[in-house]
Amino acid sequence: MKHFPPHRILGALPVTAALLLAAVTPAQASAPRNPLPGDGLRLTVTTGDSRSSDTRGTLLLCDPPQGHSRAAEACADLTAADGDIGAVAHKDAVCSLLYAPVTAHASGRWNGRPVSYTKTFSNTCVMLAETGAVFALDDEQLPEPAGPAELPGV
């Protein structure tokens, strides 16, 4: 067994530490980072059929609410549904039967869980009635509750 003097061992420590750090650093640098802090979703709404290029979108962040003009309402709707867009409370609305399809898409994280949602609705009114303020981009109006004054022929 060889015996190494203490000054040689102490002199090798900085070199050994540098080699260990160099080996660990690339693994940390290549680890994917979550670009959405806290609760956040990338939202898009595409008007028309699947070949349409009429798409608008935004990034909705909920801590604090920001992303579009109804961010606070959208975050409240998502909080009540625990981040499940399909479980957002439906609004009572009288929507036309006009077929003007829109596809809503959301992806991101909610309470640390991945969220992925895509659904095509027959028109914007139906989408807003079923998803609350979540996809109310570009100051779209949310459907008002149905009442006697809104029913045809009343």
Side-chain angles (χ1 to χ4, degrees), residues 12 45 94 123 142:
V45 176
V94 177
N123 59 48
L142 292 176

Side-chain angles (χ1 to χ4, degrees), residues 94-153:
V94 177
C95 297
S96 73
L97 297 178
L98 176 68
Y99 184 70
V102 292
T103 301
H105 177 75
S107 63
R109 300 191 75 71
W110 190 266
N111 289 334
R113 295 184 322 262
V115 172
S116 181
Y117 175 89
T118 301
K119 185 172 180 180
T120 300
F121 299 91
S122 59
N123 59 48
T124 301
C125 178
V126 173
M127 176 188 70
L128 295 173
E130 290 188 23
T131 63
V134 176
F135 292 102
L137 308 180
D138 297 335
D139 295 327
E140 292 171 340
Q141 295 298 313
L142 292 176
E144 295 297 323
E150 294 183 36
L151 298 175

